[in-house]
Amino acid sequence: MDKKTIKDINIKDKKVIIRVDYNVPLDKELKITDDRRIKESLPTITYALKEGARKVILMSHLGRPQDKVVEELRLTPVARKLEKLLGEKVLKLDDCVGDAIRQKIECSQERVILLENLRFHKEEEKNDSNFAKSLASLADIYVNDAFGTAHRAHASTAGITKFLPSVAGFLIEKEIEYLGKAVENPHRPFVVIMGGAKVSDKITMIENLLSKSDAILIGGGMAYTFLKSQGKNIGTSKLEADKVDVARTLLEKAKKAKVKIEISSDFVVVTKFDSSADMKIVKDIPDGWMGVDIGPETRKRFKDTLSMAKTVVWNGPVGVFENDAFAQGTKEIAEYLAGLKGVTTIVGGGDSAAAVSKFKLDNKMTHISTGGGASLEFLEGKELPGIAALQDKK
Ligand code: AMP
C-alpha cells in the first residue's frame, strides 16, 4: 500500500489544500489546552512553503457542531496558535467554501490560509460530492495529513480526491510506514499487547492479528472475559458476559493458528474502585474482589515474551493506569518497551498513548499513532477510505 506523498508531486507555484487534524481541546475561555496536533502539522506545512507552494490552504473539523455554525467551535484560536508556531501570518477565513472565500484566497497577502470548521456544513460528513468539488476548486493539489479522520469517508478526506491529484502528508506517511508495515510485513517475532476496558471493542482486531502475529499478550479489563471463558474465578472484575463464547472461540482459533496467547495470571485486586480500598496481589480472584492491574508474575512473563520481539504493537493499558495506585503494570510495560533496543515499538490506540505520555516515555517509542479510531481500524485490517483514495506510487 505505497501511497504517493507530497514529496512525489511538484507543488511549486501551486495552491495546495491540506486536510489537517486541528480537533484540539479547548477550555472555557477557548484557550487551546494541548497544541500537539498543531505542532504535528508543521512539517508538511513548512515543506510545502519551502518548496514554493503559492498558497497553503488548511482545513479541519473541530468538535461536533452538528451541521451549524457554533461560535465556540470556530478555528480562530487555532489560527492564532499556528501563527505563533509557524512564525508567519495566517489568514483565517470565516467559511470554507464559496466564491467569496475563493476570492479572498486569491487576493490574500498571506501564504498560509486556514478555512473555517468544515463540520459547520452538513455536507462534510455526508461526503457530498458538490461540497467536495467546492473545496477542491480552491486549490490545485490535495494533501491528506489527518490520520485521525482517515477512517471516515467525508468530503474533505475522500470526496475531494475525485477532483484533485491527491497525496499523503508526512503524518499519514508515518502512520502507513509503521502501522501498515507492522500489519502487513512485520519484523518477527511480532508481539501484540492488548489491554483496555472491553473485549467487544477489540474482537475484529484480535481476529485480524491472529493470522499475523506470533504472540498476543492480554491484560487490562478485557482479560477477565477471557479468563471467565477458561472457567477461572474473576470475582467482581470487569466481565462482558455476552462475549464469553466469543473469547473462547478466539482462544481456540489462536491455538489452531499456533499463535501464543498469554493472559494475565496474577492480579492486583481491590474491594472497590478506590485507591484507599483494601488491595492485594492474588492468582485466584476471591469473591467480592476485582482486578485493576496485572500482578508481578504476569509483568515478568509479558516482559520475557517481549524480550524476544522485533516488532511490538501495543493497544490498550493493562490496568486502570489513570489511578496511580493501579498504574504499576502499565508503567512497567511502558518502561520495558522504552528500553528495548533494535525493536520497532508502536503504540496504537488513544489510551495506551495517554499512558505512555503520562510516564513521559513518548520519545522512547518508535511510533505513537495519532488516531484512536483510525489506528484501531488499521489494526483490524480495514481499508481506511481517506488513505485508500490517495494516489498509488507507480
Ligand atoms: P480502551 O479505550 O479500550 O483502550 O480502554 C482503556 C481503559 O481501560 C482505561 O481507561 C483503563 O482504565 C481501563 N482498564 C484497564 N484495565 C482495567 C481493569 N482491570 N478493569 C477495568 N478497566 C480497566
Side-chain angles (χ1 to χ4, degrees):
M1 198 189 31
D2 254 357
K3 292 293 176 184
K4 275 193 185 166
T5 77
I6 190 168
K7 282 195 165 158
D8 299 315
I9 197 162
N10 182 12
I11 55 173
K12 191 162 167 46
D13 296 327
K14 299 275 170 46
K15 287 178 285 176
V16 178
I17 189 162
I18 310 179
R19 176 51 159 110
V20 285
D21 181 3
Y22 286 162
N23 185 27
V24 294
L26 296 169
D27 67 12
K28 283 201 185 95
E29 272 101 51
L30 304 182
K31 277 215 189 82
I32 297 164
T33 53
D34 183 354
D35 63 4
R36 204 170 345 173
R37 287 184 166 161
I38 307 176
K39 284 188 177 139
E40 281 170 344
S41 73
L42 297 177
T44 303
I45 299 172
T46 47
Y47 175 83
L49 292 172
K50 198 179 82 217
E51 291 297 306
R54 184 150 74 81
K55 297 282 174 204
V56 172
I57 305 160
L58 305 166
M59 58 177 172
S60 176
H61 74 286
L62 172 62
R64 295 171 191 271
Q66 281 164 347
D67 309 334
K68 58 183 185 309
V69 175
V70 175
E71 288 304 321
E72 297 75 37
L73 293 176
R74 286 195 181 275
L75 281 163
T76 317
V78 174
R80 301 293 79 88
K81 189 70 170 192
L82 175 64
E83 215 158 49
K84 278 197 194 118
L85 293 168
L86 205 55
E88 161 147 1
K89 267 218 140 310
V90 173
L91 174 65
K92 159 69 184 35
L93 298 177
D94 56 7
D95 202 350
C96 54
V97 284
D99 287 339
I101 294 296
R102 192 175 318 110
Q103 263 170 24
K104 280 183 188 163
I105 293 173
E106 288 304 327
C107 302
S108 65
Q109 301 291 313
E110 294 84 352
R111 294 190 297 171
V112 183
I113 293 134
L114 177 60
L115 304 179
E116 188 53 279
N117 193 339
L118 293 159
R119 290 195 189 164
F120 286 177
H121 293 263
K122 64 175 181 314
E123 292 83 359
E124 159 64 356
E125 288 184 87
K126 292 211 161 78
N127 195 10
D128 179 272
S129 186
N130 284 331
F131 183 72
K133 199 173 179 180
S134 303
L135 289 171
S137 73
L138 303 176
D140 308 306
I141 288 169
Y142 168 71
V143 177
N144 191 355
D145 214 16
F147 184 69
T149 47
H151 60 314
R152 305 270 179 244
H154 292 168
S156 69
T157 61
I160 192 169
T161 62
K162 297 204 172 65
F163 305 103
L164 288 178
S166 302
V167 297
F170 295 131
L171 264 181
I172 288 219
E173 182 190 25
K174 205 169 161 235
E175 298 281 2
I176 297 176
E177 188 182 326
Y178 288 111
L179 278 179
K181 189 166 172 222
V183 178
E184 278 161 24
N185 186 20
H187 277 213
R188 296 187 179 277
F190 172 29
V191 180
V192 180
I193 311 168
M194 207 85 81
K198 294 204 255 155
V199 188
S200 46
D201 294 340
K202 317 260 165 115
I203 294 167
T204 322
M205 174 168 52
I206 300 178
E207 272 182 341
N208 182 42
L209 293 176
L210 265 182
S211 61
K212 308 200 149 110
S213 61
D214 300 295
I216 300 181
L217 313 178
I218 299 180
M222 62 188 278
Y224 303 100
T225 302
F226 282 95
L227 291 163
K228 185 80 181 172
S229 81
Q230 296 179 318
K232 304 255 166 63
N233 296 322
I234 61 164
T236 52
S237 307
K238 192 161 190 71
L239 170 70
E240 284 172 277
D242 60 336
K243 292 290 176 292
V244 173
D245 288 342
V246 177
R248 190 179 300 114
T249 309
L250 282 173
L251 293 179
E252 282 160 10
K253 277 189 188 164
K255 208 167 173 188
K256 276 200 195 118
K258 297 200 168 52
V259 173
K260 185 170 154 190
I261 293 227
E262 291 186 35
I263 309 172
S264 38
S265 53
D266 67 333
F267 316 90
V268 177
V269 293
V270 292
T271 45
K272 57 181 170 28
F273 223 62
D274 182 335
S275 37
S276 62
D278 286 344
M279 189 156 101
K280 61 184 179 180
I281 289 162
V282 296
K283 285 192 179 163
D284 186 32
I285 304 177
D287 287 348
W289 292 73
M290 68 171 106
V292 288
D293 195 6
I294 55 173
E297 177 191 278
T298 307
R299 292 172 209 165
K300 181 168 181 315
R301 268 196 314 120
F302 283 9
K303 287 182 211 171
D304 285 347
T305 301
L306 289 168
S307 72
M308 288 176 275
K310 281 279 173 286
T311 304
V312 180
V313 166
W314 184 12
N315 182 292
V318 294
V320 187
F321 76 99
E322 294 92 339
N323 187 326
D324 286 346
F326 315 142
Q328 190 58 25
T330 304
K331 185 166 183 238
E332 281 188 31
I333 296 295
E335 284 171 345
Y336 191 77
L337 290 182
L340 288 174
K341 299 267 180 308
V343 180
T344 305
T345 49
I346 300 163
V347 182
D351 271 307
S352 13
V356 169
S357 186
K358 174 176 165 140
F359 307 127
K360 301 202 168 34
L361 295 168
D362 313 60
N363 298 333
K364 298 271 165 57
M365 305 294 166
T366 314
H367 178 63
I368 298 186
S369 181
T370 46
S375 56
L376 192 64
E377 291 200 14
F378 215 131
L379 295 172
E380 285 174 348
K382 291 188 185 143
E383 185 173 70
L384 308 191
I387 294 181
L390 303 176
Q391 292 181 347
D392 289 321
K393 268 189 186 162
K394 292 275 150 38

